[in-house]
């Protein structure tokens, strides 16, 4: 009888601890409005530094800011990438490059989130980065900042809690199965520097 | 006639080879400016970033996504230049790629001039060859 009591107490305490841990995790949504998303990529080419951007992303961040844990899933439409030259954008979307028809999304799904060493405002996120239909494991340091509700309201953000997230990392095109056309080899870098700054809010986006 | 054409090609090629890089250098010197391009944030986001910015945090990121390093741009639009109050030494250039903006980089001019120089050299060589092949030969 005493054993059963102790077992029941243990299970109850365990469930309570789990429930408390879950309570600390907040779900933030990405994709309320293009103005909250700014994602860029940069590539060195013979003629110029090519810079492209998109303001279209969708996803979700479940974060426990106090403990530096959580999960992330994010996707970006290839068709939304713009470099400032329409003809170049069409080339980028074409089958020889990112093949937007066959692989319309670039995505990231986390597998592990842990506190970044020596930083309270960042986490290390490891997950699968998928581009051109090929997934590669990627580990990035992501900075975050909780936005005070009154500051968000003053700037015209929808009601709810807001989180500012930023990171940058390198992506190899060839590692994701993008074979540069012969004419571009040696003239365009195989590596893109990707930068991301976005705001995620607790209110669900209207399109969901 | 062929020799005359060869002569013209020789001179035109030499002129192209010399003038193209000189012109590129002159344009760069007259209108080139080193700026840090940014993919600008929406004005609401800039307002929020400025309100929550703290000393020691990067400044360019308040206004947009900055390029890795400053880039020399030809005739940047003055209306698109941003000198942040938080750091007066920075000169940011807001470039909205989504709106089709792509300012001319000095490097582009330099590479174009290099190709023009090569084309000029090839033209000169072809002209010299035509002149040489068409030279009057003594009848022995």
């Amino acid at each position: 009888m005493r054993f059963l009591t102790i077992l029941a107490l243990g299970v109850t305490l365990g469930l309570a601890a789990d429930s408390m841990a879950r309570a600390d995790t907040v779900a933030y949504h990405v994709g309320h409005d293009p103005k909250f998303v700014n994602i860029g990529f940069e590539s060195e080419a013979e003629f110029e530094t090519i810079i492209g951007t998109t303001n279209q992303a969708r996803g979700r961040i479940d974060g426990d800011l106090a403990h530096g844990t959580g999960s992330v899933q994010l996707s970006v439409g290839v068709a939304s990438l713009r470099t400032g030259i329409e003809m170049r954008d069409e080339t980028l979307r074409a089958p020889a490059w990112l093949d937007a028809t066959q692989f319309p999304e670039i995505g990231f799904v986390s597998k592990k989130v842990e506190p970044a060493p020596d930083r309270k405002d960042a986490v290390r996120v490891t997950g699968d980065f998928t581009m051109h239909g090929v997934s590669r494991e990627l580990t990035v340091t992501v900075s975050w900042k909780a936005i005070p509700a009154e500051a968000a309201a003053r700037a015209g953000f929808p009601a709810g809690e807001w989180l500012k997230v930023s990171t940058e990392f390198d992506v190899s095109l060839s590692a994701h199965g993008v074979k540069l056309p012969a004419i571009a080899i040696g003239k365009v870098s195989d590596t893109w520097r990707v930068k991301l700054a976005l705001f995620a809010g607790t209110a669900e986006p209207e399109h969901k | 006639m062929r020799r005359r054409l060869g002569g013209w090609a020789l001179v035109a090629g030499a002129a192209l080879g010399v003038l193209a890089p000189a012109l590129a250098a002159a344009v760069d010197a007259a209108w080139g400016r080193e700026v840090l391009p940014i993919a600008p944030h929406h004005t609401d986001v800039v307002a929020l970033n400025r309100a929550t910015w703290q000393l020691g945090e990067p400044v360019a990121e308040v206004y947009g996504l900055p390029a890795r390093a400053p880039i020399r741009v030809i005739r940047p639009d003055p209306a698109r230049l941003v000198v942040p109050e938080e750091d007066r030494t920075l000169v940011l250039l807001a470039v909205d790629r989504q709106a089709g903006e792509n300012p001319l980089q000095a490097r582009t001019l330099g590479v174009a001039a290099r190709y023009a120089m090569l084309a000029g050299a090839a033209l000169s060589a072809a002209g010299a060859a035509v002149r040489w092949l068409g030279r009057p030969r003594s009848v022995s």
Side-chain angles (χ1 to χ4, degrees):
Chain A
M1 185 63 186
R2 181 180 286 177
F3 171 75
L4 282 177
T5 307
I6 291 170
L7 183 66
L9 191 61
V11 168
T12 307
L13 284 173
L15 286 174
D18 182 58
S19 167
M20 282 170 70
R22 281 172 198 270
D24 291 338
T25 300
V26 178
Y28 298 91
H29 302 274
V30 177
H32 299 80
D33 189 311
K35 72 180 180 183
F36 299 133
V37 175
N38 202 350
I39 299 174
F41 63 91
E42 188 175 333
S43 168
E44 289 302 325
E46 182 190 23
F47 267 90
E48 66 171 358
T49 301
I50 298 169
I51 299 173
T53 64
T54 179
N55 303 112
Q56 307 284 334
R58 296 174 75 163
R60 181 177 159 141
I61 300 169
D62 290 297
D64 176 353
L65 302 183
H67 298 98
T69 57
S71 63
V72 179
Q73 72 91 9
L74 197 65
S75 66
V76 170
V78 174
S80 69
L81 302 177
R82 295 285 183 279
T83 65
I85 299 177
E86 181 56 31
M87 192 186 291
R88 184 163 63 193
D89 297 341
E90 284 172 15
T91 304
L92 194 63
R93 293 191 288 266
W97 287 80
L98 297 184
D99 197 351
T101 306
Q102 202 177 342
F103 309 111
E105 300 276 318
I106 297 174
F108 179 82
V109 179
S110 69
K111 293 191 290 193
K112 186 171 72 174
V113 177
E114 57 191 347
D118 307 324
R119 283 186 63 183
K120 285 186 175 175
D121 63 342
V123 288
R124 280 177 66 80
V125 181
T126 301
D128 288 328
F129 180 84
T130 304
M131 186 168 85
H132 198 248
V134 176
S135 296
R136 297 276 174 202
E137 190 173 279
L138 178 74
T139 298
V140 293
T141 299
V142 179
S143 301
W144 60 265
K145 193 179 210 177
I147 303 299
E150 61 276 18
R154 264 201 309 274
F157 281 44
E161 291 179 43
W162 286 87
L163 190 65
K164 180 184 171 185
V165 174
S166 59
T167 187
E168 57 181 278
F169 53 90
D170 288 332
V171 170
S172 160
L173 296 180
S174 58
H176 287 85
V178 180
K179 291 180 183 165
L180 296 185
I183 196 170
I185 292 174
K187 294 180 180 173
V188 180
S189 169
D190 177 57
T191 304
W192 281 5
R193 185 69 177 168
V194 177
K195 290 187 177 186
L196 172 155
L198 55 83
F199 289 85
T202 50
E204 290 211 22
E206 284 176 9
H207 57 71
K208 279 199 165 180
Chain B
M1 180 64 182
R2 194 188 289 177
R3 266 179 65 78
R4 183 174 289 178
L5 268 179
W8 277 113
L10 183 66
V11 173
L16 184 64
V18 172
L19 287 181
L23 190 64
V27 168
D28 185 6
W31 292 297
R33 183 159 185 193
E34 192 136 300
V35 294
L36 183 62
I38 55 166
H41 295 318
H42 188 275
T43 48
D44 289 349
V45 170
V46 173
L48 178 64
N49 285 345
R50 292 192 68 191
T52 57
W53 179 82
Q54 292 175 329
L55 200 64
E57 291 182 341
V59 171
E61 281 79 353
V62 170
Y63 296 86
L65 280 182
R68 254 185 295 196
I71 294 174
R72 201 164 171 81
V73 170
I74 306 297
R75 287 193 74 182
D77 181 355
R80 307 289 282 158
L81 291 173
V82 179
V83 179
E85 280 178 30
E86 295 85 353
D87 181 354
R88 287 286 180 191
T89 64
L90 272 179
V91 181
L92 311 176
L93 176 65
V95 182
D96 188 352
R97 307 281 168 180
Q98 295 289 317
E101 294 178 2
N102 189 57
L104 177 63
Q105 297 175 20
R107 193 207 308 182
T108 309
L109 264 189
V111 174
R114 203 168 65 223
Y115 278 110
M117 208 165 70
L118 288 174
L123 188 61
S124 280
V130 167
R131 269 186 73 83
W132 187 76
L133 289 173
R135 72 190 185 283
R137 295 167 199 210
S138 55
V139 180
S140 53

